[in-house]
Amino acid sequence: MTRRIGERHPHAPAPLLVTAALALLLAGANAGLAWADELPANEPAKQQTPQAEALPQDAGSNASANTTSTPDASAKNGTEAADAAASASASSAATSNGANTVSEQAQSTNNRQNVNTGSSSNASKAPAQPVYDYLQSKTSPHLTYTKDGKPCKTYGWALVNGSWYWFNNSPYASENCWRYVNGSWYHFDAAGVMQTGTYATSDGSLWHSNSSGAMITGNNGWVRSEGHWYWVAPNGKLSTGWKWSNGWYWLDKKTGAMATGWEKVGGNWYLMNGSGKMLTGWQWRGAWFYLNGSGSLHTGWLWDNGWYWIDENSGMATSWVNDNGTWYHCAKSGIMQSNAWVLDEKGLWHWAGGSGAMQSGWIYYKSIWYYLDPKDARHPTVTGTKSIAGKDYQFNSDGAMNANKWVVINAKTEKARYASASGALTANTIIKNKSIVLTNEKGTPLSGWTKIDGRQFYATPDSGKAATGWLKIKDTWYYFNNQGAMQTGWVYTGGAWYLLENNGAMRTGWQKVSGTWYYLDKQSGAMHTGWLKDGGTWYYLYGSGAMATGWVYVGGAYYYLNSSGAWEPNADPMYRKAQGYSSNTNWLILCDTTRNQVCIYWGSKGNWKLQKNWTCTTGAWDTPTVLGQYTVGAKGYVFGSGFSCYYYTQFCGNYLFHSVTYYQNTFSIMDGRLGMNLSHGCVRLQIDNAKWIYDNIPSGTKVVTF
């Protein structure tokens, strides 16, 4: 027989074919039967062999002695030697009786009733010819070959009641032993039945025989037999448990067969691919599962750039997770949600805290209060009217608590209540056609001022409708929001800001709020921005309405505003100083080395207009900046050794305007301090300002340092 070895898994031997009748195969040209007793003529029907190869004519030369040892080379050689000696003795006796034996066999067929069931001929009528039969017993020997009811030696295979047996020159079938037949090992159990599939011997070792009964063997490697892979030693013993072969594989403890798919080992689940190799990491099997580095299935919480929940049966969670009574929620991606709103399948909102656990009770999110139901294990937001700690509250469909507004309690009766700043519902009212009608407890409309939850409302006389928007009462303007509540402080409406006193009265003119001056139109009360001329004096008000002081840059020019906010064109000393100088260009630069200030002007002598006003750093006290009148000279991109200064403009020898210092050949600032005296004499500026001079100030421009 031949074997084919695959690259990884060796193939098992091909199944053996049933051969011709054993008696004919054993009949030699010069010899009689290989056993002393006679065989019936119909014996070949019981002596079919399950092997493809026919037994040799000299049956004794291939018969094996009774042995229960593991099939290995020494056992095989000893068996063949013992069988050869037995064959020689049996052959001599058979030759002298050959003629009579054949005659008896030819006549026995008509008298045998049922060999395979072990029945005998009718006892009341003696047979004319010998009757051969197999007798089965519940005790050992379990199967006996008989002639006329007496044990009779035989040799070879026998198929009895669907099971194969082996007779080794004995009336009794071999039991609980190995037999080496025609190049293959066979094992027979305690009842003498030839074994197929996987079975264990008395020492607990596992073996596997194919459907023909031939034991598979390997070379410490893979062998495939009838649809399954096995790891087989040279002597045929099967490995079980974990096996490393360029990856981990699991071999069934009972069958030795290589596992595929899910397998539970030692209380842990493992997953093998179609080739049997153990998998790790994320794996899809109708859902996502995660296998640890050891291959065991991870269950519970898993951190993988986010928290995931893995269930043993359903895999990665993509919805609710109940962990010991605490609820969590995982997104469709599997990541646990935290510090976020969770919308569940029922359309209810929940809040997942920092740990991912659903929060309960009051939470404050983006200036809105929500209440998460403590009685529900998943803590959804409360909606509608809810009584909490003895007070009523009203919540929108998204769970947001209403505050500082009227809320409808009963749509049919148009009854409404006022949600205070705390959210607690207080006074009653009626909302008709979207108009708020202020009433007393009996439902009678109110008139004039009324106070609800510390807020002032104004009920229009006769109708009781709550005033909204601007309302002039006794020559004073008031503003009521869309809920009818009188407003105080700053109010933005109609595209402008207004300032209302604590009593609600609108302010006008100059008003100081938290140390800052604002101007409110004397007629409309609207806050002013930009340039303002009041009493012949110009003021500048920023976009916030705050009055400006000091230097401001407006419309491409600088203006100086004193501490009262009034514009003083000639108030700044540097500005006045500049008017006395002339320049060869339309530009002039002044540098105050005491205040560390650089101003750049456009125009001409006596008519200079400030264009730039920058803070700078000038020379240290021991390396001061030169003082005097100079002109702009050479320019360059960068200089420095061990540092870099960019966009330099020369005004006197080695004295330059340039950027603050950077680490050499980088734009990482080494020393960015300004407004100090610490340079080696040059004037340092922010890099953008140094570049502006580099780009815009022409050569010959006068520079004055003082």
Side-chain angles (χ1 to χ4, degrees):
M1 296 176 65
T2 60
R3 302 175 189 271
R4 297 173 57 196
I5 305 300
E7 189 175 42
R8 197 187 82 177
H9 294 70
H11 294 283
L16 300 176
L17 302 177
V18 177
T19 63
L22 181 60
L24 295 177
L25 293 175
L26 297 176
N30 299 314
L33 298 176
W35 48 82
D37 294 323
E38 297 166 309
L39 283 176
N42 63 342
E43 189 61 17
K46 305 190 295 294
Q47 299 286 339
Q48 300 177 56
T49 175
Q51 297 196 33
E53 301 90 348
L55 293 174
Q57 291 182 356
D58 185 2
S61 65
N62 287 297
S64 59
N66 288 325
T67 176
T68 57
S69 62
T70 301
D72 56 23
S74 61
K76 182 179 72 172
N77 294 335
T79 299
E80 291 178 344
D83 286 352
S87 176
S89 173
S91 177
S92 173
T95 302
S96 62
N97 299 323
N100 292 334
T101 300
V102 174
S103 175
E104 290 176 357
Q105 289 175 341
Q107 296 175 14
S108 67
T109 304
N110 295 330
N111 298 317
R112 181 174 59 83
Q113 293 184 9
N114 188 350
V115 173
N116 286 340
T117 61
S119 64
S120 61
S121 60
N122 194 330
S124 63
K125 184 179 180 180
Q129 298 294 333
V131 175
Y132 296 89
D133 206 350
Y134 292 90
L135 296 181
Q136 290 186 323
S137 172
K138 294 183 179 180
T139 60
S140 183
H142 293 81
L143 186 65
T144 303
Y145 182 63
T146 65
K147 173 184 176 183
D148 293 335
K150 296 181 179 181
C152 178
K153 291 182 181 180
T154 186
Y155 183 89
W157 292 104
L159 180 63
V160 179
N161 291 337
S163 298
W164 286 98
Y165 298 81
W166 176 263
F167 288 84
N168 193 47
N169 197 23
S170 169
Y172 312 114
S174 298
E175 296 180 355
N176 197 29
C177 65
W178 289 98
R179 293 296 182 208
Y180 189 73
V181 181
N182 284 359
S184 295
W185 283 98
Y186 298 81
H187 191 267
F188 302 89
D189 65 14
V193 176
M194 180 193 77
Q195 295 187 264
T196 60
T198 301
Y199 47 89
T201 51
S202 58
D203 62 355
S205 300
L206 282 186
W207 314 82
H208 184 85
S209 295
N210 58 29
S211 58
S212 72
M215 182 194 73
I216 63 172
T217 59
N219 189 22
N220 284 327
W222 292 107
V223 175
R224 187 171 177 83
S225 176
E226 298 171 342
H228 294 284
W229 287 97
Y230 302 86
W231 186 275
V232 189
N235 67 350
K237 184 177 179 180
L238 303 182
S239 291
T240 60
W242 289 110
K243 175 63 67 174
W244 174 262
S245 178
N246 293 323
W248 285 104
Y249 296 79
W250 175 255
L251 305 172
D252 189 89
K253 288 281 189 177
K254 294 181 179 179
T255 67
M258 180 193 76
T260 59
W262 289 106
E263 191 73 22
K264 195 167 190 179
V265 180
N268 293 319
W269 284 100
Y270 297 83
L271 180 61
M272 288 69 174
N273 63 16
S275 298
K277 191 173 184 178
M278 184 192 77
L279 299 172
T280 60
W282 286 106
Q283 300 295 333
W284 175 262
R285 291 299 183 276
W288 285 105
F289 294 84
Y290 188 84
L291 302 158
N292 298 316
S294 65
S296 62
L297 173 66
H298 190 102
T299 57
W301 290 112
L302 166 72
W303 174 260
D304 186 20
N305 295 321
W307 286 105
Y308 297 80
W309 176 268
I310 311 296
D311 182 80
E312 180 178 285
N313 298 308
S314 57
M316 182 188 76
T318 57
S319 185
W320 287 107
V321 172
N322 185 351
D323 183 13
N324 292 323
T326 300
W327 285 92
Y328 302 81
H329 195 273
C330 296
K332 295 300 182 183
S333 65
I335 294 179
M336 181 198 74
Q337 295 175 269
S338 62
N339 289 323
W341 285 107
V342 173
L343 181 64
D344 68 15
E345 296 76 7
K346 297 180 180 179
L348 299 177
W349 287 99
H350 310 255
W351 177 258
S355 68
M358 295 300 115
Q359 303 298 291
S360 66
W362 289 104
I363 66 165
Y364 192 64
Y365 180 77
K366 292 186 176 180
S367 303
I368 297 175
W369 284 99
Y370 299 82
Y371 189 72
L372 305 168
D373 192 351
K375 295 181 180 179
D376 189 314
R378 301 185 187 186
H379 310 314
T381 55
V382 169
T383 59
T385 303
K386 179 74 174 178
S387 181
I388 303 172
K391 295 182 179 181
D392 293 335
Y393 298 83
Q394 179 74 12
F395 300 90
N396 295 330
S397 58
D398 63 355
M401 183 195 76
N402 288 303
N404 296 319
K405 65 186 297 185
W406 294 98
V407 292
V408 175
I409 302 301
N410 191 316
K412 291 183 179 180
T413 63
E414 298 180 316
K415 182 180 179 180
R417 297 183 67 185
Y418 189 74
S420 63
S422 68
L425 301 181
T426 57
N428 295 312
T429 190
I430 296 174
I431 297 180
K432 292 183 177 180
N433 298 324
K434 298 183 179 180
S435 294
I436 301 169
V437 179
L438 301 174
T439 67
N440 59 21
E441 293 180 357
K442 296 180 180 180
T444 303
L446 300 175
S447 179
W449 291 102
T450 184
K451 196 172 187 178
I452 299 174
D453 190 42
R455 306 289 298 272
Q456 290 289 345
F457 294 79
Y458 188 82
T460 304
D462 300 328
S463 67
K465 288 184 179 180
T468 58
W470 288 108
L471 179 65
K472 193 173 185 178
I473 304 174
K474 295 181 180 182
D475 297 327
T476 301
W477 284 99
Y478 298 87
Y479 186 79
F480 301 86
N481 66 13
N482 61 359
Q483 300 298 310
M486 184 193 76
Q487 302 297 286
T488 60
W490 287 105
V491 172
Y492 185 79
T493 180
W497 284 96
Y498 298 84
L499 183 61
L500 307 172
E501 296 181 10
N502 290 336
N503 63 3
M506 182 186 75
R507 293 184 182 183
T508 61
W510 287 103
Q511 299 291 334
K512 192 173 186 179
V513 180
S514 300
T516 301
W517 286 97
Y518 299 84
Y519 186 82
L520 307 168
D521 190 89
K522 292 181 178 180
Q523 298 299 320
S524 67
M527 185 188 75
H528 199 90
T529 61
W531 286 109
L532 168 70
K533 192 172 185 180
D534 182 41
T537 300
W538 285 98
Y539 299 86
Y540 187 79
L541 303 161
Y542 293 114
S544 65
M547 183 190 75
T549 59
W551 286 100
V552 295
Y553 187 74
V554 181
Y558 279 92
Y559 299 86
Y560 185 78
L561 307 168
N562 65 23
S563 59
S564 298
W567 176 45
E568 296 185 11
N570 302 317
D572 182 63
M574 187 176 287
Y575 178 84
R576 293 196 302 269
K577 187 178 184 68
Q579 305 307 318
Y581 293 99
S582 60
S583 176
N584 294 328
T585 70
N586 293 114
W587 294 95
L588 173 68
I589 300 178
L590 268 64
C591 178
D592 186 337
T593 60
T594 300
R595 293 192 298 166
N596 285 294
Q597 185 177 16
V598 169
C599 290
I600 301 177
Y601 301 88
W602 166 265
S604 59
K605 185 176 181 179
N607 193 33
W608 295 111
K609 302 296 183 185
L610 182 65
Q611 303 299 308
K612 302 292 180 183
N613 184 352
W614 299 323
T615 299
C616 65
T617 286
T618 55
W621 303 120
D622 56 344
T623 55
T625 301
V626 293
L627 305 180
Q629 298 183 36
Y630 310 99
T631 55
V632 170
K635 297 184 179 184
Y637 171 62
V638 65
F639 75 92
S641 177
F643 63 92
S644 289
C645 293
Y646 296 94
Y647 302 111
Y648 63 84
T649 298
Q650 179 193 39
F651 63 88
C652 176
N654 292 329
Y655 293 88
L656 316 168
F657 292 106
H658 60 70
S659 73
V660 294
T661 59
Y662 290 81
Y663 289 101
Q664 190 160 11
N665 300 324
T666 74
F667 285 97
S668 297
I669 294 177
M670 177 183 287
D671 188 345
R673 292 176 293 174
L674 295 172
M676 305 176 69
N677 295 93
L678 53 79
S679 77
H680 293 98
C682 290
V683 179
R684 299 180 188 176
L685 298 163
Q686 288 185 6
I687 189 169
D688 291 343
N689 298 339
K691 187 176 186 300
W692 192 93
I693 294 176
Y694 176 88
D695 290 336
N696 295 280
I697 301 301
S699 297
T701 295
K702 180 167 286 186
V703 176
V704 180
T705 58
F706 59 94

